Amino acid sequence: MVEEGALLWEPSPEVVKDARITRYARWLGRSADYEALWLWSVEAPAEFWTSIWDYFRVVGERGDGPVVSGEMPGTEWFGGSTLNYAANALRRAASEPERLAVVFRDEAGGRRELTLGELADEVARVRAGLAALGVGRGDRVAAYLPNIPEALVAFLATASLGAVWSSCSPDFGAPSVIDRFTQIEPKVFLAVDGYDYNGRHFDRSAVVDDIAGRLPTLVARVRVPAPGVHTTPQDPATPQNSATPQNPATAQNPATPENPGTEGTPATPDGSTPRDPSASPDPAGTRDGSDSPDAGVRALDWAALRAVAAPLDFEPVPFAHPLWIVYSSGTTGLPKPIVHGHGGVVLEHLKALSFHQDLGEDDVFFWYTTTGWMMWNYLVGGLLVGSTVVLYDGSATHPGTDALWRLAAEEGVTYFGTGAPYLIASMKAGLKPSGLDRLRGLGSTGSPLPPEGFAWVHDALPGIPLGSFSGGTDVCTGFVGAVPLLPVRAGVIPCRCLGAKVESFDPSGEPVVGEVGELVLTLPMPSMPVMFWNDPDGSRYRDSYFSEYPGVWRHGDWIKILPDGGCVIYGRSDSTLNRGGVRMGTSEFYRVVERFEEIADSLVIDTGQLGQEGRLLLYVTMTEGAVLGDDLVARLRKELREALSPRHVPNEIVEVPGIPRTLSGKKLEVPVRKILLGIPPEKAANLDAMANPEVLSHFLPLGD
């Protein structure tokens, strides 16, 4: 095993000198001492966040209100200020219209480009189309779209009007989308009739009809062409770079990032296996109502929506005006509709992308994501710092596990981001990515990356710093992450991010260093939710983050903060392993188990309850051709005993065909634990928020 904390990369004097955070420190008149910068950023938050506005010359009016006022969860930022996210994202379009803004790729080889001038023109056209449909300030626009340029254009057009954006990926089933969109009452619904994934085409026309028919507030639905049926900005009727879907009968079936040996199971952005929409129960039969939209809803296509050329304008909105609505995973009930504001997102993404990812105008920024994961919102934030953003629609592993690395080489990607499971899959597949001459940074998120994953990146991509980040949909950024000023050590996240007062609380609510505790934020950040939609008294918002420690944000992760400021994330605190009074995060367990080449994926559950020790159960999915025999079981038990403790040797090791995950790839530890304790699956988990609900049948209540 790779030793946690082993030094893998150190910044050279040239890297430190040229880092954007160093330039910022010089502008401040401070030294590029990261710990000192972080302390100042959390001890003087008004001064720090004002400096972010001023340093990046945010497009907007500052106003004369206080920079920060009130306590969490009622904090207000930049009182009296107005701005618009889209105005900041497109600020360079007038002066640099030929600068490349967007590159789109799909798994079948389709490719498109948009310059800043073309992007601004498309946004202006769609803005005019939405306005003609009656969309204005505060109205919601909902999208059921892949990660295609039309999604980005529609989002920026929506934001430019002061309307509110919300999106789901087309691999979501109808009930899951309806659970999200009915809460926000959208006025316009944009959708594709199908999409290609892993060499197969999935027809979603019936699902789209079902969703639209359940949204009574719609005034219009817009059919967007799926990838492979593209149109040029100049001529809506002319296909451009059209990519023919592969014949499902002849397409290869590559391995998933989490399961390199399993054929025919594509990967989600976080590396898990999504469900096959064609194998899902017919969603039209799960709810009452019509299968088609109401007669009063106007139907039009994308070409009609963008048909009229118009000048580009931006509606100034207050700092906290809703920008988009993103959702919690919804594994145990209705997903929480989390609302972020224009100002908080602009400031946070400028800070994070520029200082922590070290991105700027010369960069090509890629993160593997779908429109249903907050990393899509983070990816398009690359426009704020002037980077070219690369959008990709398709499987991470089609036609092979190296698909994303080849894309990065072909597009000259300078910063490559993905879910931790894809890096583990690349490691297990023995990949040696090549042609990445322009790559100078790599990001990992979604789940904790074990030290072995860090070491693989160091060996396979020598000289490339790995930035492991942890945060979430709740703030649409990372709380803890990397920075070019600090070294990279195996299994360790280098720092707490600027402006994020992350602490580790012990059971009594006291901060600790060098010990595992609850990840909390004791000071507010501008990108915290401005509210949950349809939560008029704020009770649902308060209960989600502030019920455990009044006035302190409890995030729900285990974290250890090291004396030098480095951090280690140990998984969700509500799924901790408590054996004989010894608490341990599940990530430590997975690190040991998934190091075995025979193990593709795993899930560990502690069934203990308050005052009563339960059983420790390990579920494993095998790689192709591997067998869970007595020898492997013995080796697993021995390794867990030696690496963790005798208390952490499972009572049972059970083989299952798949590990249940959310659509964004997170393991469903808590819902499975509830099922084992006797709660019916349909009550323990929201099946429509799962990538693979069929595997739950293999997790039976104890005693069955």
Side-chain angles (χ1 to χ4, degrees), residues 380-432:
V380 301
L383 295 173
L384 294 170
V385 296
S387 298
T388 300
V389 297
V390 178
L391 312 178
Y392 175 71
D393 177 50
S395 167
T397 57
H398 185 79
T401 307
D402 66 343
L404 297 185
W405 301 114
R406 288 188 289 102
L407 178 150
E410 292 163 4
E411 296 300 338
V413 167
T414 60
Y415 196 96
F416 176 102
T418 186
Y422 184 72
L423 298 179
I424 296 301
S426 297
M427 176 185 74
K428 288 191 172 185
L431 296 184
K432 296 289 184 183

